[in-house]
Amino acid sequence: MTTSTARRPIGWAAASGIIAAAAFLAAAELVALIVARSASPILAVGSFLIDIVPQPIKEFAISTFGDADKVVLLIGIGCGVLVAAAAAGILQYVRPPLGVAALALAGILSGAATLTRAGATPLSVLPPLVGTVAGILALILLVNRLRRWRAPRATAPASAQTDAAPTNPQNTVAERPGSVDRRAFLRASVLTAAAAVVVGAGSRVVNAATSSLAAVREELALPAPRTTVTIPDGASFDIPGLSPLITPNDDFYRVDTALTVPSIHPATWRLRIDGMVDTPVELSFDDLVAMGLDEYAVTLTCVSNEVGGGLVGNAVWLGVPLRDVLRMAGPQAGADMVLSRSVDGYTASTPLSAVTDDGIDAILAVGMNGEPLPFEHGFPVRMVVPGLYGYVSATKWLTQLTVTTFAQDEAYWTPRGYSAEAPIKFSSRIDTPRTGTPIPAGRTPIAGMAWAQTVGIERVELSIDDGPWQQATLSTPINDDTWVQWFLDWDATAGTHYVAVRAVDRDGETQIQERAPIAPDGSTGWQRVLVTVR
């Protein structure tokens, strides 16, 4: 017995585990395509992880990766699956049936994650169940063939080999048994891996393609609005590096808990209004649109927005006042909260007063910047409520409104360390010049944005190198629910300079100077940037 024969093929065992995991996922994706399209185990596990990850890690992911946080999560899950699958293959080779047990445990966990997702049905357990069986069979097959290939073989004594009569009269070279077993293992590995890739990738592509509503959204003709937003003269400055007054849809920030964007056909969409109401109501998309649409310019802000951050955007929304929709159901006395629910199970707690006040343009939006809502921003219907951070007001893919109380119900983020009510803290931001980008000496504008939803910005002030505060020039606001642009012409001299900005709202309140973290109800602090002048 040679050393190479005796050595355990850990690498091949690990590869066997990875191929078995691929078979697991491929079978699960195929069954999901047939019986439960939303029951993909890897997506269910990813969504489950999003739910259980502690708040500091969530904030780190958002601040570090921005809109790519979900892609990074999927990559991380993929890497974790590779490592775990390789370990299962090694365990099955070294200590059977531990590898099979590990794969079975993965199936149980993925099945549990699938069944806990919103919209899960009894059929949702089939994809992880069938995937587990397929993965276990593949693992047993590959490891058994690997073991036969690498098993030590008895060798006849040299004298016996010399004296024995030839058994191959044609003088052909006989094939060694180990060679046959090696080819059998490699053949099984290649065929299983190839089948897994074709079936798994094909099922995922077909699932995505057949559930895509791109053509439906493209052809959706929304009625003309009864009233439109007028952009006043002087509302926008043409300054390089300054954010546009209206944020393009493709550039609008996205922060939500959906690992994959939900696909909801407008023809099947329903909104249920229940809870503490006189009459529960259910509306179709056509019912909602028939109530009449109006345009509203509203700036949205995410609670995860750091001082000077980009998780804020301004759009012209098309929709129906929420107060009109709730009036149909008749909220009862004692109610103080509306619990909104997304199709993916996400919930938000919105003060009832914020969505019934005649002076607040809280709406159910169906359009954004002149087109139907983008899929990433809630198609076909979402909430938009001025003056509240998005996590308590801007539910996407909306399906239910429950009139209730803060004492009785809590929403998704409340037990995760955030306030149940979250009015936006007004703020200001420097867009240009930026830290790390030197500018030439001479006359140059310092410019940025400021927002104080429902109140409005009175003025913006800047201090250079801790000098006296200088008042910036403001753009003409569209309304009190949108941000404004501002700029200050500066005679920049060579060297490095600190520039600080603060805002004052129309109630006479000055932006809070002290820094506060994002949790539990939004960051505060004046932004200070270091500018290098050549």
Side-chain angles (χ1 to χ4, degrees):
M1 182 174 63
T2 64
T3 302
S4 60
T5 303
R7 189 167 51 239
R8 285 175 172 168
I10 298 302
W12 286 116
S16 298
I18 292 173
I19 295 172
F24 176 121
L25 294 175
E29 289 291 348
L30 179 60
V31 176
L33 175 65
I34 298 171
V35 301
R37 296 198 170 196
S38 62
S40 167
I42 198 163
L43 296 182
V45 170
S47 298
F48 179 75
L49 290 176
I50 288 176
D51 288 347
I52 66 172
V53 164
Q55 174 262 327
I57 297 179
K58 291 178 186 288
E59 294 299 347
F60 172 78
I62 293 172
S63 62
T64 304
F65 304 112
D67 291 348
D69 59 339
K70 296 172 182 63
V71 175
V72 173
L73 174 61
L74 284 173
I75 293 174
I77 292 173
C79 293
V81 168
L82 284 176
V83 173
I90 295 171
L91 284 173
Q92 184 62 20
Y93 185 85
V94 177
R95 291 285 187 272
L98 289 183
V100 168
L103 210 55
L105 178 60
I108 293 172
L109 293 177
S110 63
T114 302
L115 289 176
T116 60
R117 305 322 302 160
T121 67
L123 291 178
S124 298
V125 76
L126 287 180
L129 176 61
V130 174
T132 301
V133 172
I136 288 175
L137 292 176
L139 183 62
I140 293 174
L141 169 69
L142 295 177
V143 171
N144 284 349
R145 293 202 172 189
L146 175 62
R147 189 173 285 113
R148 284 200 297 270
W149 165 31
R150 304 301 292 184
R153 298 183 180 278
T155 304
S159 59
Q161 295 180 27
T162 302
D163 297 338
T167 59
N168 186 8
Q170 302 300 321
N171 294 322
T172 57
V173 178
E175 196 168 46
R176 291 180 296 127
S179 172
V180 175
D181 292 333
R182 175 176 61 83
R183 282 209 299 272
F185 168 75
L186 294 177
R187 186 183 303 114
S189 298
V190 170
L191 290 177
T192 304
V197 171
V198 171
V199 173
S203 298
R204 175 54 31 197
V205 169
V206 171
N207 195 335
T210 55
S211 62
S212 173
L213 296 175
V216 173
R217 177 183 175 274
E218 188 72 23
E219 296 172 1
L220 181 62
L222 295 173
R226 299 174 301 184
T227 60
T228 59
V229 170
T230 300
I231 307 298
D233 293 338
S236 180
F237 298 139
D238 184 15
I239 297 175
L242 179 61
S243 299
L245 178 66
I246 305 297
T247 309
N249 290 352
D250 290 342
D251 296 334
F252 208 97
Y253 76 90
R254 178 196 169 194
V255 176
D256 52 56
T257 62
L259 189 57
T260 56
V261 176
S263 295
I264 310 169
H265 199 296
T268 62
W269 177 85
R270 294 292 184 273
L271 175 64
R272 171 82 177 169
I273 306 170
D274 57 15
M276 297 174 63
V277 296
D278 295 333
T279 306
V281 172
E282 184 171 283
L283 297 176
S284 68
F285 187 79
D286 289 341
D287 293 335
L288 182 67
V289 169
M291 295 179 66
L293 302 178
D294 297 282
E295 283 188 347
Y296 303 86
V298 179
T299 296
L300 296 186
T301 308
C302 179
V303 72
S304 296
N305 194 48
E306 298 276 6
V307 172
L311 299 181
V312 55
N314 187 49
V316 176
W317 309 92
L318 182 67
V320 176
L322 249 170
R323 56 180 172 270
D324 293 348
V325 175
L326 290 172
R327 192 177 295 125
M328 298 171 65
Q332 296 174 350
D336 61 6
M337 187 254 275
V338 174
L339 187 73
S340 55
R341 186 176 300 274
S342 168
V343 69
D344 68 345
Y346 174 85
T347 54
S349 55
T350 308
L352 181 62
S353 59
V355 295
T356 55
D357 190 325
D358 288 337
I360 300 177
D361 288 330
I363 64 170
L364 297 182
V366 298
M368 180 179 182
N369 291 336
E371 61 182 72
L373 287 172
F375 293 109
E376 296 82 358
H377 295 292
F379 182 84
V381 181
R382 69 169 295 166
M383 287 175 60
V384 174
V385 182
L388 298 176
Y389 284 118
Y391 82 96
V392 298
S393 69
T395 304
K396 305 175 186 177
W397 314 291
L398 182 69
T399 60
Q400 186 176 4
L401 295 172
T402 299
V403 179
T404 180
T405 66
F406 283 102
Q408 180 177 342
D409 288 301
E410 62 180 9
Y412 181 91
W413 285 108
T414 306
R416 292 169 170 82
Y418 286 85
S419 298
E421 303 181 56
I424 292 175
K425 299 173 181 177
F426 74 97
S427 189
S428 54
R429 182 182 78 196
I430 298 172
D431 284 356
T432 182
R434 296 179 179 274
T435 298
T437 304
I439 62 173
R443 195 76 166 171
T444 189
I446 304 172
M449 317 298 291
W451 55 91
Q453 285 94 324
T454 75
V455 177
I457 293 293
E458 177 65 29
R459 66 181 184 273
V460 172
E461 300 173 332
L462 289 96
S463 172
I464 300 171
D465 296 329
D466 295 322
W469 291 97
Q470 305 176 57
Q471 186 167 332
T473 300
L474 288 185
S475 65
T476 303
I478 300 176
N479 57 45
D480 290 341
D481 294 333
T482 64
W483 62 9
V484 294
Q485 298 175 333
W486 56 264
F487 78 93
L488 176 72
D489 282 328
W490 175 40
D491 288 320
T493 57
T496 56
H497 304 273
Y498 274 106
V499 179
V501 62
R502 69 183 185 187
V504 178
D505 69 15
R506 289 185 176 173
D507 286 340
E509 299 290 333
T510 301
Q511 180 183 338
I512 299 172
Q513 178 181 1
E514 293 76 19
R515 288 289 183 121
I518 290 169
D521 56 3
S523 63
T524 61
W526 297 345
Q527 185 188 10
R528 286 168 56 90
V529 299
L530 180 65
V531 179
T532 301
V533 180
R534 293 193 300 267

